[in-house]
Amino acid sequence: MAILDAKIPEGSLAEKWTHYKNSVKLVNPANKKKLDIIVVGTGAAGSSAASALGELGYNVKVFCYQDSPRRAHAIASQGGINATKNYQNDGDSVYRLFYDMIKGGDFRAREANVYRAAEVSSQVIDHYTALGVPFARDYGGSLTNRSFGGVQVSRTFYAKGQTGQQCMLASYSSLNRQISKGTVTMFSRREMLDLVLVDGKARGIITRNLITGELERHSAHAVVLASGGYGTIYYLSTLAIQSNGSAAWKAHLKGALFANPSFAQIHPTSIPQLNEYQSKLTLMSESLRNDGRIWVPKEKNDKRHPNDIPEEDRDYYLERRYPAYGNLVPRDVGSRAAKERCDAGYGVGPTGLAVYMDFRDAIKKQGDKTIEAKYGNLFQLYDTITGINPYKEPMQIYPSAHYTMGGLWVDYNLMTTIPGLYAIGEANFADHGANRLGAASLMQCSGDGYFILPFTISDYMADQIKTPRIPVNLKEFDEAEENVRKRLEKLISINGTQTSTFFHKKLGKIMWDYCGMVRNEEGLKKAAELVKELKHEFWTDLKVPGNLNELNQEIEKAGRVSDFFDLAGLLISDALNRKESCGAHFREESQTPDGEAQRNDDEYLYVAAWEFKGEERPHQLHKEKLKFEEVEVQVRSYK
Amino acid sequence: MSNIFNSSIGKKLIVALAGFFLILFLLVHMGINLTLILAESSKPFNVAAHFMGTNIIIKVFEVILFAVFLLHIIYVLILQIQNWIARPKRYKIPNFSQISFFSKFMIWLGGIILIFLVIHLTDFYFKSKFGHIEEITYDNIRYYTDLSSLVIQKFQIPGIVIFYIACFLILGFHLWHGFQSAFQTLGLNHKVYTPVIKKLGMVYTIVVVSGFTIIPLIIYFTQ
Amino acid sequence: MKVRLKIWRQENAKAKGAFVTYDFEEVSTEMSFLEMLDALNQKLIKKGDSPIAFDSDCREGICGSCGLYINGRPNGPEKGISTCQLSMRAFKDGDTIYVEPWRAKPFPVIKDLIVDRSAFDKILHACGFISVNTGSAPDGNSILVPKEYSDLAFDSSVCIGCGACVAACKNASAMLFVSAKVSHLALLPQGRPEARERVKNMVMEMDRLGFGNCTNTGACEAECPKEINLTNIARLNREYFTAKIL
């Protein structure tokens, strides 16, 4: 299928990126000034891309819905960022990180992209260190590492439990530098509501000024989406409550293929839901599993206080089931194991939907001080939310929706199927296959932004130097703006009885129940029906107060939820289509006798990329066959 | 150096440095005053007063002292006005979670101290400079002023004693924050030394306030 | 439980604004403060009233979007948390709760409880960064940083830019915010080359934007959700004097 040409360079895996960089078309500095690039989103990917492109001399415009670019949700990443420095002398290498990611992703990611992500990871650490990220250090002053789920080396750089914050603020600072130099113009409190195509190429976006409600047109020679993931489709997730999939979805409606939408990671260690009012779930970093041992009581309904349950009555189920990796199994495996225990009736806490993560042994061995230095802020966070002191008794944790491996389909250039439209960071699908490893997201986002996109985009920009600045009075902009206006007017004029939050919660429940950690055909079909019904209800009974020409948070929510209904439909279709278990996607019909995921490489060794064919018409599936030249596709085992 | 004193931090530097000077001045002032009650006769006090009133170096310092007072006051006023402007709309419920309690009232405490200063100067300083005060002779040297008697006279009146002691207390509140705050403004904050400085500030304040307070009390009750 | 909320409502930047009283009965101690406002908003929308506008995003105390001035304190009665981490456990049945936006001239109200904090971004545009181009960084371990300084830099770098320090300060001063960034970068060898320019430019920008002056009151430290302390302000002063005088 011509439409899905991944454009992977020739040569051996280790040489592809070098070859590519040596042969990519360049733009001369004088011409870069005349070329405009729009970046949507200011997280680890967006901020770093915008600043790197600004440094190169392009004229960059950046958009975020928050009041400041610093607040993008990369800020909440806790545990760390991987790099193949091998500072620990424990045998790490680019190949090993690449292999861990390919295996962690259950052989559903593209080799060349993953290898490149691993290759640039060292540069990312160097750059962040130079930008002033206070990564953890040894007494000798050198950088130190910790290990993370799914791997057997220590390659994760960290700044206590706030690595994401530190990397985010560093990207933000490099962005600020470019803003002060005038190469980047910042537009905050703006939401992208449509993509504008001119002659089939991405040439601009329509945004809504969230303060005045005004619709604005912005044009450019290329558009970069760094708009993050869509985990909030589950309503409760570890994401920011305003995180959404709308920018990617709008691009999808304009022709960008959406890949593997059903690959949504459920993170094993978040604070369990406590009540129905809850607006989000808070993550407890995976790094805690380095020292925290996960267990449930051996007896069902054991109501004893966890400290009173003796060693012999505890079931350290991860250590039991996966002796090689123990508590450090990848996220999908850890999540399902927790769900399995809870479903079987061994869960703890008031709802029975929780397991213990216990630091008793680590504290005994290493002392309060060491544990505090490693996880102080996480323990405090847990204490603040639950009122339980984790130094004294085990944490209660449960899986929650977290990261979406799926996203816009991109080729090796990170370009979507729309010429001139790029997707980077979590917004694309490329590097994590069916499951993302811990500390690989900051790595990929920053790598995409700082070290990959600036090269690959020049290949496209080199052909744009003859195209003058795109005017915003073209009919394509008129049409796009008109469509946006119509949709907003439609939403506000329904004037029903229920709020968008009401619908979002209901949608999230359906998705969590039928399309969460475990899926089956019957459930998915039911979910499809339920989503369709709920969508109809949404469009007939929604109530949005206020006006369009003012700061109106309800119209913002309504717009995002309306897109989630459509995305949910696609997510379910994708989950139905993939009749195998791989990574985060676990189909009950496809499991081994001992309950482990059963892949079907003969039929599903492909990326499912979906094409929008119009309202009310089914999406068309395109398959990008995955070729594994360097690694042997094997059963992913952590036993 | 350019425009350092136009910046907020530069202005604060002036206030702090002036504050330090005034802190030292208070010690000297208190030392001399204490001779009133510690010495057998009024001689040491009057001799010192004479010295302070006539010595040329002291006269220079007198001018500097006035200038420093003025700088302290003027810069504080500028900063304070900027601070008021920085919050045009005030909170319905004000915040009271400060660490240094009296810092919230420095401007008002300072204002009261300024009023006190004017009264105090009219009571003694201007009188000795421009008014007429009895003369006194020790060891055949004629001193032009018998400031000691004037002070003792004043502190026979209960109202004045109470007024002075109240003002000393207010001065104490001002110093309680001011002493350690001046160090912070100069950038001198250290995990070991700052607690020591804070203690020192408290000791200083207690010494100065009690030193000044004890004088009118003893005079009132003994003379 | 039941609370009486007195919430600042202001239609837009130009409107006058006033407190509006809401008696809200369906409050659970398990709610967070913002979830309580969410629930109130749901009720208001259904009644046909306009919901209360307030900023919030990550809801785990790290993005710095939220920030409400509750009963005379930024982020409410508990120490070391952002507004989104405040639980209704902190209140009693029948309490009256005043909710105000941050108040400072450089933080004008946009709507209800939302203020414009872009002044913070502007301060950081004035050299709140290390000038290093992508690709030109040396190996991460080529510059060793004493752990002590690295840890101190971390403590300063955790600022979430929420503005609680300005809101708490009786002078609406931004010194804690500025000092945290200046300290973070001044403590690291990577940040030293342009430390002098940085502190001069950031202080100048802070003054220009109309923030008040620090009087070492310490309300900022007391209210900072990340408990950034006053030693940073002393370091800022020190850095500033050495940059200006020496």
Side-chain angles (χ1 to χ4, degrees):
Chain A
M1 184 102 222
I3 189 174
L4 283 187
D5 179 6
K7 301 196 179 121
I8 297 166
E10 293 300 312
S12 72
L13 198 53
E15 288 166 348
K16 283 183 199 292
W17 181 231
T18 313
H19 279 304
Y20 181 94
K21 284 193 288 184
N22 290 340
S23 56
V24 71
K25 281 183 260 179
L26 298 176
V27 183
N28 110 24
N31 282 332
K32 285 194 187 117
K33 272 185 238 143
K34 298 178 205 153
L35 295 171
D36 303 336
I37 301 176
I38 283 173
V39 179
V40 181
T42 57
S47 284
S48 51
S51 51
L53 295 169
E55 286 164 20
L56 289 172
Y58 294 110
N59 186 27
V60 186
K61 294 190 244 185
V62 192
F63 298 82
C64 69
Y65 69 73
Q66 297 91 345
D67 68 324
S68 164
R70 67 183 293 153
R71 312 209 194 280
H73 202 57
I75 200 98
S77 162
Q78 297 174 346
I81 172 166
N82 288 335
T84 59
K85 286 286 190 186
N86 193 26
Y87 284 156
Q88 305 306 322
N89 197 30
D90 56 0
D92 198 14
S93 64
V94 172
Y95 185 85
R96 276 196 195 272
L97 173 55
F98 153 75
Y99 185 78
D100 285 340
M101 283 177 75
I102 285 282
K103 179 183 169 193
D106 219 351
F107 303 93
R108 291 293 175 269
R110 194 190 284 149
E111 266 191 341
N113 284 58
V114 178
Y115 195 89
R116 178 177 62 182
E119 217 176 328
V120 300
S121 65
S122 286
Q123 281 176 282
V124 171
I125 292 301
D126 296 340
H127 192 51
Y128 275 144
T129 307
L131 282 172
V133 172
F135 284 123
R137 286 176 186 271
D138 269 333
Y139 286 96
S142 55
L143 295 163
T144 181
N145 296 102
R146 63 180 166 208
S147 65
F148 238 67
V151 302
Q152 290 177 315
V153 292
S154 282
R155 64 160 76 94
T156 304
F157 293 79
Y158 63 99
K160 290 204 179 152
Q162 279 153 266
T163 322
Q165 183 199 25
Q166 294 308 317
C167 294
M168 178 66 241
L169 292 181
S171 312
Y172 165 65
S173 79
S174 63
L175 180 67
N176 281 335
R177 177 165 164 248
Q178 294 309 309
I179 293 172
S180 73
K181 285 183 162 186
T183 58
V184 173
T185 314
M186 184 67 225
F187 297 87
S188 52
R189 290 199 197 267
R190 302 295 204 292
E191 183 158 23
M192 169 183 157
L193 291 181
D194 209 356
L195 176 74
V196 182
L197 304 190
V198 179
D199 299 329
K201 295 192 179 78
R203 291 300 196 196
I205 59 172
I206 305 293
T207 58
R208 181 167 179 270
N209 180 324
L210 299 184
I211 297 176
T212 63
E214 221 176 313
L215 295 182
E216 303 163 331
R217 305 167 177 200
H218 299 276
S219 70
H221 294 87
V223 176
V224 180
L225 293 188
S227 51
Y230 47 87
T232 40
I233 201 166
Y234 292 96
Y235 186 68
L236 284 179
S237 77
T238 63
L239 270 60
I241 56 164
Q242 297 189 79
S243 295
N244 64 83
S246 287
W249 189 254
K250 301 297 185 195
H252 173 62
L253 298 183
K254 285 285 165 96
L257 266 52
F258 209 106
N260 299 336
S262 69
F263 289 172
Q265 179 170 75
I266 311 297
H267 194 288
T269 54
S270 86
I271 300 175
Q273 186 180 358
L274 298 169
N275 59 65
E276 61 188 296
Y277 318 104
Q278 212 156 322
S279 53
K280 79 154 276 156
L281 296 168
T282 301
L283 188 76
M284 285 285 106
S285 167
E286 182 172 356
S287 62
L288 292 167
R289 287 197 275 146
N290 272 312
D291 289 301
R293 296 178 70 195
I294 294 173
W295 61 277
V296 291
K298 275 188 182 157
E299 290 294 319
K300 280 186 195 177
N301 289 319
D302 190 339
K303 291 291 171 210
R304 282 180 288 177
H305 187 276
N307 289 351
D308 298 335
I309 300 180
E311 197 65 16
E312 60 272 17
D313 293 347
R314 299 176 171 200
D315 175 16
Y316 295 94
Y317 59 87
L318 285 177
E319 295 169 26
R320 169 171 59 79
R321 281 179 69 177
Y322 308 100
Y325 282 71
N327 293 299
L328 286 174
V329 291
R331 291 176 174 175
D332 55 334
V333 179
S335 291
R336 272 196 302 277
K339 180 175 161 55
E340 187 274 327
R341 283 290 84 187
C342 293
D343 289 353
Y346 296 93
V348 299
T351 56
L353 289 176
V355 299
Y356 290 125
M357 179 153 64
D358 201 338
F359 294 89
R360 186 193 62 183
D361 298 346
I363 289 172
K364 221 182 271 169
K365 216 188 225 152
Q366 305 170 37
D368 272 0
K369 281 256 156 59
T370 316
I371 294 297
E372 197 196 333
K374 282 190 197 166
Y375 314 112
N377 61 327
L378 295 170
F379 277 37
Q380 205 183 353
L381 187 64
Y382 185 84
D383 198 345
T384 307
I385 294 172
T386 62
I388 294 170
N389 177 355
Y391 293 100
K392 301 264 181 278
E393 58 180 285
M395 289 183 180
Q396 289 179 24
I397 50 152
Y398 196 68
S400 73
H402 182 51
Y403 181 93
T404 45
M405 284 72 68
L408 292 174
W409 184 90
V410 290
D411 60 19
Y412 192 74
N413 296 314
L414 302 179
M415 202 197 303
T416 64
T417 46
I418 297 175
L421 178 70
Y422 291 79
I424 59 173
E426 192 179 348
N428 74 26
F429 87 104
D431 297 346
H432 305 297
N435 173 55
R436 177 172 70 75
L437 285 187
S441 181
L442 281 174
M443 177 194 102
Q444 179 231 340
C445 289
S446 319
D448 279 2
Y450 279 124
F451 295 104
I452 300 173
L453 182 79
F455 286 98
T456 61
I457 206 169
S458 96
D459 198 48
Y460 178 78
M461 296 311 261
D463 296 332
Q464 304 301 315
I465 52 176
K466 293 208 181 83
T467 310
R469 204 142 267 167
I470 320 288
V472 291
N473 54 7
L474 299 175
K475 70 170 194 320
E476 287 86 349
F477 280 91
D478 294 344
E479 277 167 24
E481 188 184 320
E482 196 45 37
N483 287 339
V484 168
R485 179 169 293 115
K486 272 193 198 140
R487 188 171 171 97
L488 290 172
E489 277 165 1
K490 195 171 160 198
L491 283 167
I492 208 162
S493 62
I494 300 168
N495 210 7
T497 61
Q498 294 295 352
T499 66
S500 46
T501 306
F502 167 84
F503 288 108
H504 193 177
K505 270 189 188 175
K506 278 187 112 174
L507 174 69
K509 181 92 171 60
I510 298 171
M511 297 306 286
W512 181 250
D513 287 347
Y514 299 106
C515 204
M517 269 182 283
V518 172
R519 301 143 181 200
N520 61 48
E521 177 146 352
E522 191 194 352
L524 288 167
K525 283 185 173 155
K526 185 165 174 202
E529 278 310 305
L530 290 172
V531 168
K532 214 168 150 190
E533 279 166 32
L534 191 63
K535 180 181 168 185
H536 177 73
E537 207 184 312
F538 173 86
W539 283 104
T540 47
D541 196 25
L542 174 73
K543 187 178 179 75
V544 179
N547 301 306
L548 292 178
N549 59 353
E550 61 178 8
L551 190 151
N552 185 343
Q553 295 175 314
E554 286 301 311
I555 191 73
E556 297 168 27
K557 282 186 217 165
R560 294 164 193 159
V561 174
S562 73
D563 290 331
F564 273 145
F565 277 109
D566 299 331
L567 177 54
L570 182 61
L571 204 154
I572 293 166
S573 307
D574 185 52
L576 264 174
N577 170 66
R578 197 172 279 278
K579 295 187 182 68
E580 63 159 353
S581 296
C582 64
H585 173 66
F586 189 83
R587 283 284 297 261
E588 275 178 350
E589 301 92 332
S590 179
Q591 53 180 311
T592 61
D594 56 350
E596 300 297 334
Q598 176 82 57
R599 266 197 342 251
N600 179 350
D601 292 331
D602 295 337
E603 285 179 73
Y604 295 101
L605 196 64
Y606 64 76
V607 174
W610 301 85
E611 184 185 359
F612 177 71
K613 303 296 276 183
E615 290 278 343
E616 308 303 324
R617 288 184 56 196
H619 276 71
Q620 187 186 339
L621 172 65
H622 300 269
K623 298 176 183 175
E624 182 200 341
K625 288 269 175 219
L626 290 169
K627 286 190 225 70
F628 289 92
E629 289 163 356
E630 294 279 332
V631 300
E632 192 191 336
V633 181
Q634 9 162 283
V635 176
R636 175 169 165 255
S637 166
Y638 293 94
K639 291 202 181 243
Chain B
M1 280 294 283
S2 69
N3 69 24
I4 175 167
F5 298 122
N6 291 335
S7 72
S8 55
I9 299 180
K11 290 193 202 99
K12 280 155 47 62
L13 177 66
I14 293 178
V15 175
L17 289 175
F20 274 128
F21 190 86
L22 297 175
I23 281 168
L24 287 176
F25 161 73
L26 277 178
L27 270 186
V28 175
H29 191 340
M30 183 188 70
I32 293 174
N33 284 15
L34 280 176
T35 58
L36 265 176
I37 55 166
L38 294 178
E40 295 283 307
S41 81
S42 61
K43 186 184 160 194
F45 180 75
N46 277 341
V47 171
H50 179 76
F51 175 77
M52 297 302 276
T54 51
N55 184 285
I56 186 74
I57 299 169
I58 300 295
K59 277 193 184 265
V60 173
F61 265 101
E62 204 170 24
V63 175
I64 295 175
L65 178 64
F66 272 105
V68 165
F69 256 118
L70 271 179
L71 278 178
H72 192 74
I73 293 162
I74 289 169
Y75 273 86
V76 158
L77 276 179
I78 296 172
L79 289 166
Q80 184 61 51
I81 288 166
Q82 287 177 335
N83 291 348
W84 280 322
I85 294 172
R87 179 164 291 135
K89 172 90 189 157
R90 313 203 70 79
Y91 290 114
K92 171 98 177 162
I93 317 269
N95 176 280
F96 275 99
S97 46
Q98 65 277 11
I99 287 168
S100 179
F101 180 77
F102 292 110
S103 64
K104 282 256 157 101
F105 316 105
M106 288 302 270
I107 189 73
W108 309 116
L109 298 172
I112 296 170
I113 294 166
L114 183 62
I115 294 167
F116 164 75
L117 208 59
V118 173
I119 295 170
H120 177 59
L121 289 176
T122 346
D123 275 355
F124 301 109
Y125 180 79
F126 294 139
K127 247 186 205 155
S128 77
K129 284 270 164 187
F130 313 114
H132 177 71
I133 296 178
E134 301 274 323
E135 293 174 359
I136 194 161
T137 309
Y138 300 107
D139 308 329
N140 296 326
I141 303 169
R142 198 157 57 99
Y143 288 88
Y144 290 94
T145 53
D146 183 7
L147 207 54
S148 161
S149 304
L150 183 68
V151 174
I152 291 165
Q153 222 177 347
K154 279 273 172 198
F155 288 151
Q156 298 303 316
I157 308 158
I160 291 190
V161 173
I162 291 170
F163 171 72
Y164 266 73
I165 292 174
C167 289
F168 293 149
L169 275 178
I170 284 176
L171 176 67
F173 299 152
H174 197 77
L175 288 169
W176 196 263
H177 170 74
F179 188 93
Q180 48 96 11
S181 175
F183 282 90
Q184 167 81 1
T185 297
L186 289 182
L188 304 173
N189 188 320
H190 187 276
K191 60 176 183 258
V192 178
Y193 304 126
T194 295
V196 177
I197 288 171
K198 284 192 175 170
K199 293 250 163 59
L200 193 69
M202 291 173 192
V203 171
Y204 168 85
T205 307
I206 291 165
V207 167
V208 166
V209 171
S210 34
F212 276 117
T213 304
I214 204 163
I215 296 166
L217 277 181
I218 287 185
I219 291 173
Y220 181 75
F221 285 111
T222 56
Q223 301 276 328
Chain C
M1 71 181 200
K2 198 164 83 181
V3 292
R4 167 162 293 183
L5 293 155
K6 291 192 177 268
I7 296 178
W8 182 261
R9 300 300 307 264
Q10 181 175 337
E11 210 164 308
N12 54 50
K14 289 189 192 110
K16 205 160 165 284
F19 283 96
V20 176
T21 306
Y22 300 94
D23 285 312
F24 193 35
E25 296 181 359
E26 300 106 48
V27 179
S28 146
T29 49
E30 288 185 340
M31 289 173 165
S32 75
F33 191 82
L34 294 186
E35 282 159 5
M36 183 273 296
L37 288 183
D38 286 343
L40 174 62
N41 272 344
Q42 295 299 307
K43 210 174 128 186
L44 290 178
I45 298 168
K46 286 196 173 174
K47 257 180 37 193
D49 291 345
S50 75
I52 302 147
F54 61 93
D55 266 329
S56 84
D57 206 12
C58 79
R59 298 248 173 144
E60 53 182 286
I62 195 76
C63 76
S65 294
C66 63
L68 301 177
Y69 187 89
I70 301 163
N71 278 350
R73 293 191 61 185
N75 303 321
E78 304 213 333
K79 222 178 126 47
I81 55 166
S82 60
T83 302
C84 62
Q85 292 174 296
L86 176 65
S87 159
M88 289 308 287
R89 287 192 294 256
F91 300 93
K92 290 193 304 290
D93 188 38
D95 274 359
T96 298
I97 307 172
Y98 278 87
V99 189
E100 304 178 60
W102 287 172
R103 296 255 184 235
K105 186 162 163 272
F107 288 174
V109 173
I110 294 174
K111 182 175 185 174
D112 295 345
L113 303 170
I114 297 181
V115 298
D116 178 358
R117 284 169 294 191
S118 54
F120 270 8
D121 290 317
K122 290 191 187 118
I123 293 177
L124 295 180
H125 295 164
C127 209
F129 46 73
I130 292 172
S131 295
V132 54
N133 274 353
T134 310
S136 61
D139 183 87
N141 263 346
S142 63
I143 302 171
L144 298 179
V145 184
K147 183 168 162 50
E148 190 193 345
Y149 288 112
S150 177
D151 288 350
L152 276 176
F154 177 85
D155 291 344
S156 308
S157 71
V158 296
C159 167
I160 57 174
C162 64
C165 47
V166 175
C169 177
K170 74 182 177 72
N171 312 320
S173 163
M175 285 282 275
L176 192 66
F177 170 78
V178 175
S179 70
K181 183 47 74 181
V182 165
S183 291
H184 161 210
L185 299 178
L187 283 161
L188 296 169
Q190 287 85 355
R192 284 318 305 178
E194 58 197 321
R196 295 164 74 92
E197 278 311 298
R198 177 179 306 117
V199 68
K200 283 195 275 188
N201 291 344
M202 285 178 71
V203 168
M204 193 157 78
E205 185 65 1
M206 169 185 83
D207 289 350
R208 187 188 71 79
L209 289 162
F211 287 101
N213 307 292
C214 175
T215 47
N216 304 328
T217 302
C220 53
E221 177 183 305
E223 300 293 14
C224 174
K226 295 295 155 193
E227 299 182 309
I228 291 171
N229 60 45
L230 291 179
T231 53
N232 289 290
I233 294 184
R235 188 178 296 106
L236 167 64
N237 293 341
R238 223 155 52 221
E239 288 281 328
Y240 186 74
F241 297 142
T242 43
K244 276 285 192 185
I245 300 167
L246 301 178

